[in-house]
Amino acid sequence: MDLIEKLIPLLRDYSIQENEALIKVTEARSNLVSSESIPDLVKSNKELTNSLSKLFAIVEKYPDLKDNENFLDIQNQLKSSGKVIARYGVQYNNAVFSYNNLCEQFPSNIIAMLFNFNLADLFEEGNDKK
């Protein structure tokens, strides 16, 4: 989120004409911050990724900005962060898979029922309740 906060003023400084793209990035960031469940988080993350992709496509029209060291640094950090999020998403899903198995298999399912442990949602695109 901090990287996006740094990106927006930088793009405004270059008078990017496509304000709609900036607004969508800002809205997507806000939605991601306010997400309270895994499905909401996945949806918000996908919206943010899509809006950033569209914004970076627009930036191709601005050669001065493409050569700006700060912009390139933020862009690279965002790409790197996306890879880290994907890696942690896999680790999270592995933990959820193990947890859900324990909740469903005997004898641990008895403890899960006694303490009201519910199945957890996976972190994946197109997340359906599993």
Side-chain angles (χ1 to χ4, degrees):
M1 297 300 108
D2 294 338
L3 292 173
I4 294 169
E5 285 181 29
K6 292 177 185 177
L7 181 66
I8 300 298
L10 181 65
L11 294 175
R12 284 192 182 129
D13 289 346
Y14 274 84
S15 301
I16 300 291
Q17 304 299 318
E18 292 81 355
N19 285 332
E20 183 178 331
L22 286 173
I23 291 169
K24 287 189 179 197
V25 168
T26 304
E27 288 174 353
R29 180 199 171 278
S30 177
N31 291 340
L32 187 62
V33 169
S34 63
S35 296
E36 295 181 3
S37 67
I38 296 298
D40 289 343
L41 186 67
V42 169
K43 180 181 175 193
S44 298
N45 187 48
K46 187 174 181 179
E47 288 173 6
L48 181 60
T49 301
N50 290 340
S51 61
L52 281 172
S53 295
K54 289 176 185 174
L55 183 64
F56 288 145
I58 290 168
V59 165
E60 292 295 319
K61 298 178 189 175
Y62 297 87
D64 292 343
L65 182 57
K66 288 191 315 185
D67 293 334
N68 181 295
E69 188 175 315
N70 289 335
F71 174 76
L72 293 173
D73 184 47
I74 291 171
Q75 188 177 23
N76 288 333
Q77 287 181 42
L78 282 168
K79 288 178 185 176
S80 175
S81 295
K83 291 176 185 176
V84 170
I85 289 170
R87 188 173 63 237
Y88 284 125
V90 169
Q91 291 176 353
Y92 173 84
N93 284 344
N94 288 338
V96 166
F97 183 75
S98 296
Y99 167 81
N100 286 346
N101 279 340
L102 288 171
C103 287
E104 294 178 329
Q105 294 176 350
F106 183 82
S108 57
N109 66 339
I110 295 170
I111 301 298
M113 286 189 313
L114 286 173
F115 290 99
N116 202 23
F117 293 158
N118 298 314
L119 297 179
D121 293 323
L122 294 171
F123 184 81
E124 60 186 358
E125 299 300 321
N127 188 19
D128 297 321
K129 294 259 181 189
K130 296 193 177 187

